[in-house]
Amino acid sequence: MWACPAVVVGGSSITTGPGCVLHGSGWGSEDQEAPGLGRDWVPHKTRRLGWTRLLWPLSSSFLDPSDQKPRTGLVRSARGGRKGPRSAGRGLCREGNRIEGGVPTPGSDRLFYHEVESPSALGLLGAWPGKSTPASKAFTHHYGSSVGSVPPSGRHGPALRSISAAEAIQQHRRNLAEWFSRLPREERQFGPTFALDTVHVDPVVRESAPDELLRPPSELRSPSRPPPATRPPLALSQLFDPDACGCQVQTVVLYGTVGTGKSTLVRKMVLDWCYGRLPAFELLIPFSCEDLSSLGLAPASLCQLVARRYTALKEVLPLMAAAGSRLLFVLHGLERLNLDFRLAGTGLCSDPQEPAAPAAILVNLLRKYMLPEASILVTTRPSAVGRIPSKYVGRYGEICGFSDTNLQKLYFQLRLHQPDCGPGAGGADVPATAAQRDSLVEMLSRNLEGHHQITAACFLPSYCWLVCATLHFLHAPTPAGQTLTGIYTSFLRLNFSGEVLASGDPAQLSLMAYAARTMGKLAYEGVSSRQTRFSEEDVRGCLEAGVRTEEEFQLLHIFRGDALRFFLAPCVEPGHPGTFVFTVPAMQEYLAALYIVLGLRKTTLQRVGKDVAELAGRVGEDVSLVLGIVAKLLPLRILPVLFNLLKVVPRVFGRVVGKNREAVARAMVLEMFREEDYNNDDVLDQMGASILGMEGPRRHPDEAPEDEVFELFPMFMGGLLSAQNRAMLAQLGCPIKNLDALENAQAIKKKLGKLGRRALPPSELLDQLFFHYEFQNQRFSAEVLGSLRRLDLAGVRMTPLKCTVVAAVLGSGRHALDEVNLASCQLDPAGLRTLMPVLLRARKLGLQLNSLGPEACRDLREMLLHDQCQVTTLRLSNNPLTAAGVASLVEGLAGNTSLTHLSLLHTGLGDEGLELLAAQLQHNQRLQELNVAYNGAGDTAALAVAKAAWEHPSLQLLHLYFNELSSEGRQLLRDLGDAAEGRARVVVSLTEGTAVSRYWSVILSEVQRNLHNWDRARVRRHLQLLLRDLEDNRGATLNPWRKAQLLHVEGEVTALLERLGGPGS
């Protein structure tokens, strides 16, 4: 017979022997150990009672030798009085009923503790082996877990397999699937077919030990370096497998820093259960700790919490205890709750129907005092892991993100290969082709394989999302109103969602506000000094600036452990060891802009002056009023005058702040218009290159570094002032006052009005338009860009996004544009449709060298027929329009009344195109010049269009050079042209008779401009014909002046032939 040699009576300790744990009323904490015993012997649940309590493990000595069942015991209430009946399924037995339990098998660590309460503990020891008496009370409690990965079934299974319970659980699955399948607005931009199931990649989860959590975390760890834990990764299906000792795991804590994918992991796990991919659990009940924290201290039972949130489970609630470990609670975001595991702070509660504060319910669930056999999965940030005592946790798992590059590639392949279903430019659906998606994935994979900085950024799954969202923004049709600043603000809202830095902080400082104050300061200092790499001293200096009190150091410690890795990463570029960079370059510029817009950059004068101004403003009026009354009675009339000066202080301070805003606006505008950046690509192409990588050789580490470019900084400043982004920032705890936004906008407008009138290169002009697009304020843009008359974007690759930017900023204007030059912009028909509101206001429109085909001609026909069309000059040279395209153009020409100059040079019209043009030319009455040179037309087609030109009432000039004309055909055109005196002049050569044509420079300049785009052999042949014609005319004339002119033109043609590599004259 097992015996215990001593007990604890009335709070006094008496030496005990091994195997016995005695608790008295003098013990106040669960974390205390019994005298002389280890922590493993301390039971999970103790009760504060007014009398002695005795707990011991149920060994075979306490079993009846005949049936090997536990002896009978009675239960006493935790409050010292008798309670009503309780279900044995909750771990308690009815008062006076027999306690049922299994026999521990060899090798199992399942322990059943019997608690015996009596005014005389020694009397209980003597009475226990015999029959139970009314004075004896006991209950069993399951502690630990059994061996085996399959949750126990037995009597727990059929309880949830009844028809009503099965129907309720099935409805619960459908409700959960519908709820957790709903994507946030940030995800819906990828199209209606986007679903989490199709693109999810599980992050790496590594098992960790409690002692690893106690180690001081390193400031930043390189993602290429493996984590300290050497244990293999855990799959989701292995979280509740037995541990290394063979013990069944019931409580799992998954922790990870911001951005590692905790929320997505929980969402995917819930959906897996809904679709039957987690058969180990019959019932899954997820709880958001954020929602529970909003309930405060309002008492509610566990059943009430479940019923309020999941109404379909009302019928299943009485059976929860019977589900055993096949019931899984998911507690997401534990850092949102303050849990107190001290008995003095949170009392014991084992009844799921007993009301208590939500935090107390969770504490008792984690203690395994309520629903002791239920499985629990907890997710939290590293700083909150210690809120749960380790003795209540069966397994810790660290979410390590995508530490394997192959996981990053898989994520991008799944994301970027989703079909684009968003609205295309101009309202048409223009999905990206499979080849375009494959090209993006291939370029991104090459950049990842190069182990460049993007590999370190994509260590966090959230940044993989940001990369995909940015690429989607840059290359897919852009939804109306979507901006780059909005993507970054939404990205931060997805990861921070307004959560506070520390739930116990009385100030309730939001995590994002703390990041803006610290990381924003580091980012702005880097932008000011044109620096992207920072030493550890730089980082520490910005983090610890102004930290004085213990509470501030505690907040800093939490931020370092939970969020610092989200913003900074070790620099992996060669030649810069021990330095850190912002996770993605654009994040530095975004945080720097946020730091400025929030008004966090203050000088000492501003900080002191603000306090003085507020104080003076509060007391100035009251003091002046009192002294004004006293001065009527006493000769102190000078005092009110002095105190009236107090009213001036706020105005002086306001002027100081206004000067500071003007200085910031001036710095922003100067950054936007830096002449050193004139040769750079536009900011959108720079972003694409930073993500997809730069093709070609990279700079050697020993070479002198280039000046860093921060052209996104002013764009983000404008974007953060927009109403949409200010609303999202307010949700993040970073509100921007309307008055501050207005004053900042006025200061920026003033500086833009002065510096923005200068002529800018095409890429810089697009940057200015992109700033206005990010600002999303049409009135502001109309006032600033009202003086813009020439839109020259020649050579800028006009992607769908850039077309949207130009159309959104300039499309609503009313003033005419003298010229819109979109030559060599890789425009497509969708881009033309997007830009149509801008093109209609252009007087001169250049669309040459854009590979526009017959489809684009249909859009150009609609433009020419529009009643608001102001185009007078249309250049379409070097586009494959063909005869099919010109058929649409002539329809537009027939109804147009504004066009006077049309260039169809080198557009592949051929004989058919020129004949069609000749037949329809008479329907237009305004055209003055028509260029159909270099179109491969023969004598017949050229003669037909020449005759139509001579008969046209307004046409003055027709270009037919470089067509496939014979010598006879050229001569015939000359003769007919001489006869048609006063009508359209036809240019077919560099000469007119024996003299040089007045248009020879136009022809040669056109050839020189297109020398690299035209067929070199064909151009060489035509130049040789022109050269022979010049030589013949020079020999036929006797006029020395004409000879000199012809000789000069011969020299120009010879120089062009030498550039083409052909034979000389």
Side-chain angles (χ1 to χ4, degrees):
M1 175 67 67
W2 178 89
C4 177
V7 294
V8 179
V9 180
S12 302
S13 61
I14 303 176
T15 306
T16 60
C20 182
V21 180
L22 305 177
H23 284 193
S25 60
W27 291 11
S29 172
E30 286 188 11
D31 293 332
Q32 278 186 278
E33 301 179 10
L37 299 176
R39 180 178 292 269
D40 292 339
W41 280 97
V42 178
H44 258 308
K45 301 161 197 58
T46 59
R47 296 192 179 191
R48 268 189 174 277
L49 304 176
W51 45 2
T52 304
R53 299 167 297 163
L54 171 63
L55 289 85
W56 62 84
L58 179 63
S59 66
S60 58
S61 303
F62 281 90
L63 301 176
D64 191 310
S66 60
D67 58 2
Q68 288 292 300
K69 291 183 178 179
R71 297 280 185 177
T72 303
L74 297 178
V75 178
R76 180 172 180 82
S77 167
R79 296 180 179 87
R82 294 184 181 273
K83 293 200 70 173
R86 293 197 179 189
S87 170
R90 298 193 187 103
L92 298 176
C93 65
R94 295 179 183 271
E95 190 167 353
N97 291 352
R98 179 177 297 274
I99 301 174
E100 297 183 359
V103 180
T105 59
S108 171
D109 68 335
R110 176 177 295 185
L111 300 179
F112 289 87
Y113 286 96
H114 285 247
E115 180 172 346
V116 182
E117 302 169 341
S118 171
S120 174
L122 295 177
L124 262 178
L125 286 175
W128 178 257
K131 293 183 178 180
S132 61
T133 63
S136 63
K137 303 161 184 74
F139 67 89
T140 60
H141 169 60
H142 174 222
Y143 174 65
S145 54
S146 60
V147 181
S149 60
V150 180
S153 54
R155 59 191 173 94
H156 300 299
L160 295 179
R161 295 196 184 104
S162 64
I163 296 178
S164 60
E167 291 177 353
I169 292 178
Q170 193 62 28
Q171 181 62 40
H172 177 59
R173 289 178 188 267
R174 289 192 292 267
N175 294 343
L176 278 183
E178 180 183 0
W179 179 259
F180 279 84
S181 297
R182 295 177 182 176
L183 298 174
R185 182 171 56 86
E186 290 81 4
E187 293 282 23
R188 291 198 296 270
Q189 65 177 316
F190 293 103
T193 62
F194 176 80
L196 182 65
D197 275 352
T198 60
V199 298
H200 179 76
V201 178
D202 286 336
V204 175
V205 179
R206 296 188 183 274
E207 187 171 0
S208 62
D211 58 338
E212 295 175 6
L213 301 175
L214 299 177
R215 299 173 185 168
S218 58
E219 189 86 359
L220 288 171
R221 188 176 66 208
S222 173
S224 59
R225 192 181 310 159
T230 58
R231 305 181 186 184
L234 284 172
L236 287 181
S237 58
Q238 300 173 328
L239 292 178
F240 291 91
D241 285 356
D243 59 15
C245 299
C247 303
Q248 182 66 33
V249 173
Q250 287 185 297
T251 302
V252 176
V253 174
L254 296 181
Y255 64 94
T257 59
V258 176
T260 50
K262 299 184 292 296
S263 300
T264 306
L265 197 66
V266 168
R267 182 188 294 269
K268 182 61 167 58
M269 190 172 186
V270 172
L271 289 176
D272 283 347
W273 179 80
C274 293
Y275 300 140
R277 293 193 285 264
L278 286 179
F281 303 104
E282 291 187 3
L283 181 59
L284 184 146
I285 302 177
F287 277 115
S288 168
C289 294
E290 180 182 7
D291 295 340
L292 295 178
S293 66
S294 64
L295 300 178
L297 299 177
S301 67
L302 176 62
C303 293
Q304 289 174 337
L305 291 176
V306 175
R308 291 174 186 172
R309 185 65 182 84
Y310 309 107
T311 56
L313 295 180
K314 288 183 179 180
E315 297 181 2
V316 185
L317 293 179
L319 306 176
M320 282 196 304
S325 58
R326 298 182 71 83
L327 169 62
L328 174 62
F329 287 98
V330 178
L331 308 178
H332 177 54
L334 189 71
E335 67 275 359
R336 305 293 186 95
L337 280 174
N338 287 322
L339 301 183
D340 188 357
F341 280 79
R342 297 175 302 124
L343 286 175
T346 304
L348 299 177
C349 177
S350 61
D351 188 354
Q353 295 182 357
E354 182 177 342
I361 297 291
L362 296 191
V363 167
N364 282 284
L365 278 175
L366 293 168
R367 284 171 171 167
K368 311 309 292 180
Y369 198 78
M370 182 184 295
L371 301 179
E373 295 186 359
S375 301
I376 301 175
L377 174 66
V378 179
T379 64
T380 183
R381 299 201 307 246
S383 62
V385 173
R387 296 182 185 179
I388 306 177
S390 60
K391 63 183 178 182
Y392 300 133
V393 181
R395 172 172 287 131
Y396 290 96
E398 181 183 4
I399 304 178
C400 301
F402 294 156
S403 54
D404 186 356
T405 307
N406 293 324
L407 293 179
Q408 301 175 8
K409 292 182 182 179
L410 178 61
Y411 181 93
F412 290 128
Q413 288 173 359
L414 293 175
R415 279 271 183 169
L416 297 177
H417 277 99
Q418 293 293 307
D420 295 323
C421 300
D429 291 337
V430 188
T433 63
Q436 291 172 333
R437 293 194 293 265
D438 291 339
S439 176
L440 285 179
V441 173
E442 182 181 357
M443 294 177 66
L444 190 54
S445 297
R446 284 202 301 267
N447 202 15
L448 291 173
E449 290 170 357
H451 298 288
H452 301 146
Q453 198 62 49
I454 189 175
T455 311
C458 293
F459 165 76
L460 293 176
S462 59
Y463 275 95
C464 293
W465 181 93
L466 179 62
V467 168
C468 288
T470 305
L471 287 177
H472 191 272
F473 175 72
L474 293 175
H475 297 279
T478 306
Q482 187 183 57
T483 64
L484 183 65
T485 312
I487 288 178
Y488 273 73
T489 308
S490 300
F491 168 67
L492 294 175
R493 185 174 64 174
L494 279 175
N495 286 276
F496 295 95
S497 62
E499 60 184 288
V500 297
L501 182 60
S503 56
D505 180 21
Q508 294 293 294
L509 178 65
S510 76
L511 183 54
M512 190 59 227
Y514 193 90
R517 190 178 69 193
T518 55
M519 293 293 96
K521 176 179 174 63
L522 181 67
Y524 179 74
E525 289 180 357
V527 171
S528 301
S529 59
R530 314 201 71 76
Q531 176 184 358
T532 58
R533 289 178 289 271
F534 306 92
S535 65
E536 189 172 349
E537 290 73 16
D538 296 334
V539 177
R540 186 179 295 110
C542 288
L543 287 175
E544 298 179 358
V547 178
R548 297 290 183 270
T549 64
E550 180 64 27
E551 291 76 11
E552 291 174 342
F553 273 105
Q554 182 63 26
L555 293 178
L556 176 58
H557 175 74
I558 293 174
F559 180 79
R560 276 176 169 165
D562 291 349
L564 183 59
R565 175 61 184 87
F566 181 84
F567 295 103
L568 292 180
C571 182
V572 299
E573 298 295 337
H576 304 283
T579 59
F580 305 99
V581 296
F582 279 85
T583 316
V584 292
M587 183 57 73
Q588 177 181 354
E589 300 178 68
Y590 178 92
L591 290 175
L594 182 62
Y595 183 74
I596 295 299
V597 170
L598 290 176
L600 299 176
R601 178 182 176 270
K602 294 184 176 70
T603 62
T604 304
L605 176 61
Q606 287 176 308
R607 287 193 294 268
V608 176
K610 181 179 181 181
D611 298 336
V612 173
E614 291 178 352
L615 179 62
R618 285 196 300 267
V619 306
E621 294 184 1
D622 297 336
V623 172
S624 298
L625 180 61
V626 172
L627 290 180
I629 297 173
V630 174
K632 294 180 179 179
L633 304 175
L634 300 175
L636 301 174
R637 299 186 181 277
I638 192 61
L639 290 179
V641 177
L642 295 178
F643 278 94
N644 278 332
L645 296 176
L646 292 173
K647 299 179 181 179
V648 181
V649 175
R651 290 196 291 267
V652 173
F653 176 73
R655 291 186 179 181
V656 172
V657 174
K659 292 292 184 181
N660 179 67
R661 289 196 180 98
E662 290 184 2
V664 171
R666 185 173 184 276
M668 188 211 75
V669 174
L670 289 176
E671 183 67 41
M672 187 186 301
F673 299 118
R674 289 181 76 239
E675 294 185 2
E676 295 86 345
D677 299 336
Y678 276 9
N679 296 323
N680 296 338
D681 293 335
D682 58 82
V683 291
L684 297 176
D685 283 348
Q686 291 178 31
M687 284 209 68
S690 67
I691 295 174
L692 300 175
M694 299 292 294
E695 300 293 335
R698 302 177 66 86
R699 184 178 58 84
H700 193 273
D702 296 336
E703 294 181 15
E706 299 177 356
D707 193 15
E708 298 291 350
V709 177
F710 296 99
E711 294 186 73
L712 271 176
F713 168 64
M715 314 302 166
F716 282 137
M717 277 197 65
L720 290 172
L721 292 175
S722 67
Q724 180 180 358
N725 282 292
R726 284 191 285 122
M728 286 192 288
L729 286 173
Q731 298 173 9
L732 288 170
C734 302
I736 302 175
K737 297 180 181 179
N738 292 330
L739 182 59
D740 292 341
L742 177 62
E743 292 177 350
N744 280 318
Q746 289 176 344
I748 293 173
K749 181 172 67 175
K750 182 179 179 181
K751 296 302 178 183
L752 277 177
K754 292 181 178 179
L755 300 177
R757 295 189 183 97
R758 65 179 68 174
L760 298 174
S763 61
E764 294 299 308
L765 179 58
L766 182 65
D767 290 347
Q768 183 183 7
L769 297 179
F770 185 63
F771 166 82
H772 289 277
Y773 176 78
E774 290 291 311
F775 196 18
Q776 293 284 299
N777 189 321
Q778 292 185 354
R779 180 178 178 182
F780 176 90
S781 302
E783 293 178 0
V784 174
L785 298 175
S787 60
L788 181 66
R789 290 293 181 269
R790 186 171 185 270
L791 180 64
D792 184 6
L793 298 176
V796 175
R797 185 172 58 91
M798 294 300 292
T799 62
L801 172 62
K802 296 176 185 177
C803 293
T804 302
V805 168
V806 175
V809 175
L810 298 177
S812 60
R814 297 182 179 180
H815 66 279
L817 298 172
D818 294 339
E819 181 178 3
V820 174
N821 187 1
L822 297 173
S824 302
C825 290
Q826 302 180 32
L827 268 177
D828 56 10
L832 279 180
R833 290 190 289 272
T834 303
L835 292 170
M836 195 59 67
V838 179
L839 304 185
L840 289 171
R841 292 164 41 211
R843 290 196 172 93
K844 293 182 180 180
L845 178 58
L847 297 175
Q848 57 269 36
L849 289 166
N850 275 300
S851 301
L852 299 175
E855 182 182 357
C857 290
R858 291 191 286 271
D859 298 309
L860 293 173
R861 176 192 59 193
E862 300 302 323
M863 180 192 73
L864 292 173
L865 293 176
H866 200 283
D867 56 355
Q868 296 181 4
C869 179
Q870 303 182 37
V871 179
T872 59
T873 300
L874 177 60
R875 293 188 291 268
L876 295 173
S877 56
N878 298 295
N879 287 296
L881 304 181
T882 70
V886 82
S888 299
L889 275 181
V890 293
E891 295 179 11
L893 284 175
N896 179 268
T897 58
S898 63
L899 192 65
T900 58
H901 296 73
L902 176 63
S903 175
L904 300 175
L905 170 72
H906 191 221
T907 51
L909 302 184
D911 290 340
E912 181 183 359
L914 259 67
E915 290 173 356
L916 183 60
L917 191 61
Q920 301 294 328
L921 193 60
Q922 59 182 345
H923 299 295
N924 179 279
Q925 303 297 316
R926 299 292 301 274
L927 201 62
Q928 298 178 9
E929 182 177 351
L930 176 63
N931 190 340
V932 289
Y934 198 11
N935 271 292
D939 294 346
T940 304
L943 184 59
V945 75
K947 289 181 178 179
W950 289 323
E951 296 174 358
H952 196 277
S954 61
L955 196 64
Q956 300 175 3
L957 185 62
L958 174 67
H959 299 268
L960 283 173
Y961 53 87
F962 273 33
N963 278 293
E964 303 301 323
L965 303 178
S966 63
S967 301
E968 295 78 8
R970 288 195 297 272
Q971 188 59 44
L972 179 60
L973 287 173
R974 288 194 191 99
D975 296 342
L976 293 175
D978 294 339
E981 191 68 30
R983 297 184 181 180
R985 184 179 297 276
V986 179
V987 179
V988 295
S989 178
L990 297 176
T991 59
E992 296 177 359
T994 59
V996 175
S997 171
R998 72 178 70 176
Y999 302 105
W1000 72 268
S1001 59
V1002 176
I1003 298 174
L1004 292 186
S1005 62
E1006 197 72 50
V1007 173
Q1008 188 172 5
R1009 190 162 47 244
N1010 296 281
L1011 205 58
H1012 300 290
N1013 303 310
W1014 290 353
D1015 182 3
R1016 302 175 72 86
R1018 189 175 175 183
V1019 173
R1020 186 184 304 112
R1021 178 168 56 84
H1022 281 288
L1023 287 177
Q1024 289 172 349
L1025 291 175
L1026 292 177
L1027 183 61
R1028 191 177 303 115
D1029 188 40
L1030 288 169
E1031 293 173 346
D1032 293 341
N1033 283 280
R1034 181 166 53 87
T1037 183
L1038 298 176
N1039 189 324
W1041 174 245
R1042 290 184 177 180
K1043 283 182 177 289
Q1045 287 181 320
L1046 291 168
L1047 190 61
H1048 172 69
V1049 177
E1050 286 179 28
E1052 297 288 339
V1053 175
T1054 303
L1056 285 177
L1057 283 171
E1058 290 176 353
R1059 288 181 58 185
L1060 287 171
S1065 58

